[in-house]
Amino acid sequence: MRAPRSAFRRTEVFLLLLAFPLLTAGCGARKLWGTPEDELRSQLARGDYSALAKVDFTTQDPGESLDLSPSAPYYLSFAFDALDRPQEAFQLLDTAWHRSPSPWREEAGLLLARRSIERKDYAAAAEVARKIEGSSAPEETRQRARRLLVEALYWDKQDADALKEADGLTAPDAEVLLFRAVSSLRLGLPQGPELTLQLFLHERASSLHTRVYSWLAASPAVMQKFGQQDQDLLAGKDALAQAQWDRGISLLEPVAATLDSTLLEDGVLVSDLGTAYAAAGRAATGALVMERLAARLTGQAHADAEELAGRLHRRAREYPAALSWLRAAAADAPSAAQKDRVRLAILEVLFVVAPDDLPARVKEEASSWANPSAFSGLLQERIAELVSARRWKTLEGLWSALEDAGPSEVRAQLSYLLAREWQEGVIRRLPTGPTSAAGPTAVTARALFQDAEYRDPMGYYGILAASMLGDLPDRTVPAAPTDAGAAPPLDPVALGFLPFGLTAPAYARLWATRDSLDDAGMREAAQTFAQAGDYRSSMNFIGAVARARRLSAEELDLYYPRAFSAIIEPLAAQAGIPDHLLYGLVREESYFDPRVVSSAGAVGLSQLMPSTAADMAQRLRIVDPDLRDPSTNLSLGVRHFRDLVRSAGTITKALLAYNAGLSRIRQWERANPGVPADLFVESATIAETRDYVKKIFVSSVMYAFLYHDADPREAALSFFSLTPKALEQRGVR
């Protein structure tokens, strides 16, 4: 049994103190903007801003917000933004700027300055920014204020002051370079053209270049300060920024061919030109241009030109040339990241041309990979294609090729697949291991499963392999590590968003500081968001910890939360579906976010398409269903999944159909008749669908293990309708 957890943690105490005025001030009959304070607090906490929609600051005082808490005006401005009430949001920021304490005063001031710039009230923006810059606020806050001050001065055409302030910025961004260039040109300073050329040479083509070029085109006297080659550079980058690929190429190709090579050393112009050739559909021509550039350039630009030559040859289906130039780029690339990126492109070409000695080629490449995991996605995609095509010999060759240098998760996948294919009689022999003095080492199915379990202990193939072996995982879950010393408190401005139902800005601000948080801070952040009902953010913080080490029992509960248990568990029981499976489905579909909408239009916890939801609602006699309501969404989702189980025949195929549609499952069944469920997943031709089922498998096994104290072997095997007895008959155990 786990040790009882402390009732309060540091963050919980802070949030309680922060929310104390919200919880106590309205115990009487007081109202805020016509709404009883306790009712308003309750609405705000759950992100319901309907009461605010009735507020009219022409007759009501924005300063009343201070009755909620001294920081309330700042946070309420975000709520009014959500209501598309920018004037009211601005008034609340002004209230916070004049009447809230630090650090909310400065944060409100920064937003106030930004909104003033958007309103073209540059003097007001500069006034606020100067006050923050000259305050005792932290240096990071004063730097943000100075950045806004530079922008306000630039737009107000106070160019000398803008340049002076820009010199004090410790990390100027690309737009600041624009401000400095144009301000210098407007003042007629000699550095103006040089700064402009720096922007055009060393920043990738973007709207910044169009802004500068449009101004220059309207200022002929200034444009004449640039030579013809420089004018071609300016016009060419503007053309690329506007997706005028052919025009940009015609202007920039001669520039890149004749400009002093030292000005191209960072490779930006080379990369822009290569992108243009690809976008214009002129890959073969672009490849030859990149070859010529590679011959005259050095350093980063040289490697970039080689890489682009290879990629453009590949796009033109000139594979031998592509391999040659990509290998040259891999040898010359100055960074490990670029080397691996280029080697990934080499691997893509090898799988396209599929030479007879493909495994040997892969083995040769793998020996040079700096980060093998970067190659996992491509390898897993190609392995799925090989399984579907029943190319067992190639799979066996890849298993041997990746033994020493391949990604652990891919090697685990291959070991598991070969063992299962042998078990099912799909292949007649297993691969041989390393050769010794006595000859090749025999490999057994048990050894393959053990290899998969060892290489991917908490992953999909590792859990499945352990189940096949009958192994129980180490059930001793470590305690949360004790962090030395007191961890710094979490950002109070970020935490302050939560009592106002503003989880998104809270997460964005706190996630930006994650590199400065130790494990204790990451746990606190996860706990805080879980308490606020934002399980996605909570899991993101704990997921960052999980990538570094094993999670403790407390952390596992955060990583696999039983959110909406009062709805999920009764629905699962009624439908005859294990609740750990339903938890896994909802976790992977929506991360327990009832308001999420996918790019395809799927809505809510169980990610239902409106057409599917309408059909299920009709069957359940639900009129005008609200898909963002957790109870409604889950009721419809469970009914849909139950129907898929009945139609597809198994849980595994129902999950595949939930993601890809039942018609696709029928196609895959016709192509792979009689294939066991776990191998049937491998035959799915859509990577997203394969990964979807694998993620739900891991989650459902973890939920069964954590909350039902279930044997993970049973949960894993039942997921695929496999039984220990059947496995024994196949010689596994």
Side-chain angles (χ1 to χ4, degrees), residues 243-555:
Q244 298 172 359
W245 308 116
D246 287 325
R247 176 171 173 264
I249 288 170
S250 66
L251 289 164
L252 292 177
E253 186 180 310
V255 171
T258 58
L259 196 65
D260 185 344
S261 61
T262 60
L263 297 175
L264 304 177
E265 284 181 347
D266 61 3
V268 170
L269 187 61
V270 172
S271 296
D272 275 344
L273 193 54
T275 299
Y277 279 113
R282 298 170 58 183
T285 300
L288 297 177
V289 171
M290 290 298 138
E291 289 182 16
R292 291 195 294 270
L293 286 176
R296 69 177 294 260
L297 299 175
T298 58
Q300 184 66 62
H302 172 73
D304 287 348
E306 290 179 321
E307 178 182 351
L308 286 165
R311 290 184 179 277
L312 289 166
H313 276 303
R314 178 178 180 268
R315 185 177 285 264
R317 299 184 180 181
E318 298 164 349
Y319 298 121
L323 286 173
S324 175
W325 282 98
L326 288 171
R327 288 197 171 105
D332 295 339
S335 70
Q338 184 178 16
K339 287 179 184 294
D340 273 359
R341 185 179 71 225
V342 174
R343 287 177 179 130
L344 184 62
I346 292 172
L347 195 61
E348 290 173 339
V349 175
L350 288 174
F351 275 113
V352 170
V353 299
D356 293 338
D357 60 344
L358 176 63
R361 299 278 196 97
V362 171
K363 182 174 184 177
E364 181 182 356
E365 292 296 328
S367 64
S368 301
W369 295 344
N371 177 21
S373 291
F375 299 80
S376 294
L378 175 62
L379 287 167
Q380 290 168 340
E381 179 71 16
R382 296 299 173 263
I383 288 169
E385 293 174 1
L386 292 171
V387 171
S388 182
R390 296 173 172 80
R391 294 179 58 184
W392 314 124
K393 187 173 181 61
T394 304
L395 284 172
E396 180 182 336
L398 289 178
W399 178 84
S400 299
L402 298 171
E403 179 177 7
D404 297 323
S408 292
E409 57 272 24
V410 174
R411 170 71 183 207
Q413 177 185 16
L414 288 166
S415 291
Y416 178 83
L417 288 177
L418 289 174
R420 287 288 290 127
E421 297 288 2
W422 175 84
Q423 214 174 40
E424 295 294 330
V426 177
I427 57 177
R428 295 185 178 181
R429 66 178 182 84
L430 290 171
T432 56
T435 302
S436 64
T441 306
V443 175
T444 65
R446 174 172 292 278
L448 288 171
F449 283 134
Q450 288 172 336
D451 183 63
E453 183 183 11
Y454 168 75
R455 292 177 185 268
D456 190 28
M458 294 300 292
Y460 174 78
Y461 294 103
I463 292 173
L464 263 178
S467 303
M468 293 292 174
L469 292 167
D471 288 349
L472 273 174
D474 181 2
R475 300 177 72 90
T476 60
V477 181
T482 302
D483 300 283
L490 300 179
D491 177 14
V493 175
L495 298 179
F497 282 104
L498 297 177
F500 294 86
L502 297 162
T503 56
Y507 172 77
R509 186 177 173 104
L510 203 53
W511 185 251
T513 70
R514 65 190 181 280
D515 290 341
S516 66
L517 300 178
D518 59 11
D519 279 3
M522 298 291 275
R523 285 195 302 273
E524 282 195 42
Q527 290 160 352
T528 299
F529 282 104
Q531 290 158 9
D534 184 356
Y535 298 99
R536 177 191 293 270
S537 297
S538 175
M539 285 186 278
N540 282 345
F541 277 100
I542 284 299
V545 177
R547 288 189 286 274
R549 61 166 175 79
R550 287 184 65 194
L551 298 179
S552 68
E554 183 179 40
E555 291 162 344

Side-chain angles (χ1 to χ4, degrees), residues 46 63 79 154 159 215 245 296 481 494 521 533 545 559 626 635 675 701:
R46 61 178 185 268
Y154 168 81
D159 294 315
W215 179 79
W245 308 116
R296 69 177 294 260
V545 177
Y559 205 35
D626 178 3
S635 295
V675 175
V701 170

Side-chain angles (χ1 to χ4, degrees), residues 34-175:
T35 302
E37 289 187 17
D38 54 351
E39 181 181 335
L40 181 60
R41 295 184 200 102
S42 177
Q43 291 180 7
L44 293 174
R46 61 178 185 268
D48 178 0
Y49 306 134
S50 57
L52 299 181
K54 305 171 185 176
V55 173
D56 181 3
F57 284 162
T58 62
T59 59
Q60 294 168 303
D61 179 14
E64 286 187 37
S65 58
L66 292 162
D67 291 342
L68 289 175
S69 72
S71 60
Y74 171 71
Y75 297 114
L76 287 172
S77 73
F78 287 82
F80 276 96
D81 277 336
L83 293 170
D84 196 21
R85 301 273 298 278
Q87 179 58 33
E88 287 77 5
F90 189 88
Q91 290 174 267
L92 285 163
L93 288 173
D94 187 68
T95 299
W97 168 241
H98 288 99
R99 300 174 64 180
S100 290
S102 295
W104 296 276
R105 176 180 186 275
E106 289 77 16
E107 292 298 325
L110 292 169
L111 276 178
L112 199 63
R114 168 55 57 198
R115 303 292 172 84
S116 295
I117 290 173
E118 292 167 358
R119 293 174 169 216
K120 299 185 179 180
D121 190 351
Y122 306 126
E127 179 184 2
V128 173
R130 284 191 191 280
K131 287 181 178 178
I132 298 174
E133 185 188 20
S135 71
S136 58
E139 176 63 18
E140 185 269 340
T141 302
R142 288 186 282 122
Q143 280 288 315
R144 290 162 62 197
R146 179 171 290 210
R147 169 61 175 78
L148 287 166
L149 177 57
V150 171
E151 185 170 355
L153 293 170
Y154 168 81
W155 288 116
D156 206 25
K157 297 186 178 179
Q158 298 185 43
D159 294 315
D161 288 341
L163 290 172
K164 179 180 177 182
E165 293 293 340
D167 289 340
L169 289 171
T170 56
D173 53 57
E175 192 176 29

Side-chain angles (χ1 to χ4, degrees), residues 10 38 62 120 166 203-204 250 291 297-298 315 322 390 463 488 560 562 636 656 696 708 717 728:
R10 166 174 75 201
D38 54 351
K120 299 185 179 180
E203 297 292 337
R204 294 297 301 266
S250 66
E291 289 182 16
L297 299 175
T298 58
R315 185 177 285 264
R390 296 173 172 80
I463 292 173
Y560 296 97
R562 283 194 297 179
L636 298 175
L656 288 165
I696 292 177
H708 295 301
L717 296 178
E728 288 174 4

